[in-house]
Amino acid sequence: MGVEIHGAHDYLIDQYLKDQVNDRTDQYGGSLENRCRFALEIVEAVVNEIGADRVRIKLSPFTDYKDSGNSNPSALGLYMAESLNKYDIAYCHMVEPRMKTPLQKVECLDSLVPRMKAFRGTFIVTGGYDREDGNKVVDEGRADLVAYGRMFIANPNLPRRFELDAPLNKYSREAFYTSDSVVG
Ligand SMILES: Cc1cc2nc3c(=O)[nH]c(=O)nc-3n(C[C@H](O)[C@H](O)[C@H](O)COP(=O)(O)O)c2cc1C
């Protein structure tokens, strides 16, 4: 049991982190340190409430979904990874730089490795992985774990299918947001 704090994909915390949308002039805006203050204060508050081993955070320093972008995403991701070490949380979950939006993969040379090296706990990557490249990124020590989104929707027993190397159902975009629990 635990809480994954949503610090990604243009939601409130992400809007504080990103210099293209954070136009505050107080101690929560301007410098990198100031923009990260809100996220880190939330982490600290939740850690104090439920214990560090139950706290996780998801971040997407490289995305610019709904204009929530940053002029130096590498530095932002690095600063957050380093700052989070202080709290000894359960894991840090980061979205791959190639995911320009949550669902659109754009090939890019940037990687999360420097952020992973800076973070001393469990580091999870996500964004456009299949079984093969998910295994590869873990085998090569570029991540501790891989999170899956779309494939999980179409394959609720995805870990078992991966284990058996069984065929997968193809996901259907139209079914992503349906209330029909069988189709969706
Ligand atoms: C239907 C659907 C809804 C999603 N909703 C959210 C969301 O509310 N917040 C978020 O940060 N990411 C959301 N995502 C993104 C996923 O958490 C994940 O980061 C993304 O799908 C990349 O992983 P994948 O390539 O394995 O699908 C959503 C994805 C899908 C398919």
Side-chain angles (χ1 to χ4, degrees):
M1 292 278 281
V3 172
E4 183 178 280
I5 298 167
H6 199 333
H9 293 159
D10 92 23
Y11 289 86
L12 185 65
I13 296 173
D14 190 58
Q15 290 178 25
Y16 273 77
L17 296 174
K18 304 285 181 67
D19 61 5
Q20 282 162 21
V21 280
N22 180 341
D23 56 2
R24 299 181 72 102
T25 53
D26 59 9
Q27 74 270 34
Y28 293 95
S31 68
L32 180 58
E33 188 185 352
N34 278 358
R35 283 182 280 112
C36 294
R37 190 183 310 280
F38 182 60
L40 296 170
E41 282 182 0
I42 290 173
V43 170
E44 186 167 337
V46 183
V47 163
N48 289 340
E49 201 60 40
I50 62 172
D53 57 331
R54 291 182 170 177
V55 180
R56 310 92 200 248
I57 190 164
K58 180 174 179 179
L59 298 166
S60 63
F62 289 87
T63 60
D64 56 7
Y65 191 47
K66 292 195 189 145
D67 295 336
S68 190
N70 204 67
S71 57
N72 191 343
S74 304
L76 171 60
L78 204 56
Y79 182 84
M80 281 302 293
E82 283 166 352
S83 306
L84 286 167
N85 286 329
K86 179 176 162 197
Y87 305 103
D88 203 20
I89 57 173
Y91 65 70
C92 176
H93 176 179
M94 259 193 215
V95 178
E96 285 287 351
R98 64 191 176 187
M99 300 306 285
K100 281 301 271 181
T101 76
L103 301 176
Q104 183 200 350
K105 188 168 157 183
V106 179
E107 277 319 320
C108 97
L109 295 175
D110 235 315
S111 102
L112 290 177
V113 170
R115 267 62 61 186
M116 185 210 174
K117 290 199 168 140
F119 184 68
R120 287 200 293 269
T122 301
F123 195 82
I124 304 182
V125 295
T126 195
Y129 281 97
D130 59 18
R131 179 179 184 274
E132 195 186 344
D133 59 7
N135 281 336
K136 192 162 175 249
V137 76
V138 173
D139 286 347
E140 291 177 354
R142 291 186 282 121
D144 296 308
L145 294 165
V146 177
Y148 293 88
R150 287 163 288 188
M151 279 187 191
F152 234 120
I153 294 175
N155 300 275
N157 60 347
L158 190 66
R160 183 74 178 137
R161 290 194 190 215
F162 276 0
E163 203 180 322
L164 301 173
D165 201 6
L168 299 177
N169 296 325
K170 281 204 168 66
Y171 59 76
S172 141
R173 252 166 230 288
E174 296 75 52
F176 280 168
Y177 292 100
T178 176
S179 56
D180 183 330
S181 60
V182 176
V183 175

